């Protein structure tokens, strides 16, 4: 899943499109709390919030998804 998220994040960084945001959100939504741990679960929720927010900027989204990647084992 880390590789998938990294690729999707790279795509988002490049094109910043709605489609790439949706791909990230779909991948994040597929992660289950019991299998990824508490820290990663919290990071996933923060990233999903950033992706869904109308006030989040690109850097906040990138940072939150990078945090998820860092916290996945």
């Amino acid at each position: 899943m880390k590789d998938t998220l990294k690729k999707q994040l790279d795509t988002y960084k490049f094109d910043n499109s709605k489609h790439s945001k949706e791909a990230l959100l779909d991948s994040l939504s597929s992660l289950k709390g019991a299998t990824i741990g508490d820290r990663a679960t919290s990071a996933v929720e923060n990233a999903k919030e950033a992706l869904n927010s109308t006030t989040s900027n690109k850097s906040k989204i990138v940072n939150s998804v990078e945090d998820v990647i860092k916290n996945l084992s």
Side-chain angles (χ1 to χ4, degrees), residues 9-61:
L9 184 58
D10 287 341
T11 300
Y12 174 72
K13 286 178 183 178
F14 178 73
D15 70 8
N16 196 22
S17 72
K18 183 177 179 177
H19 177 71
S20 59
K21 280 175 76 171
E22 289 172 354
L24 280 167
L25 191 55
D26 288 344
S27 292
L28 291 170
S29 293
S30 73
L31 296 171
K32 303 295 181 212
T35 60
I36 62 172
D38 290 340
R39 275 193 210 158
T41 300
S42 177
V44 166
E45 291 306 315
N46 289 338
K48 286 168 57 176
E49 262 183 50
L51 285 161
N52 284 318
S53 175
T54 57
T55 60
S56 290
N57 61 26
K58 186 175 179 177
S59 68
K60 181 176 181 176
I61 291 170

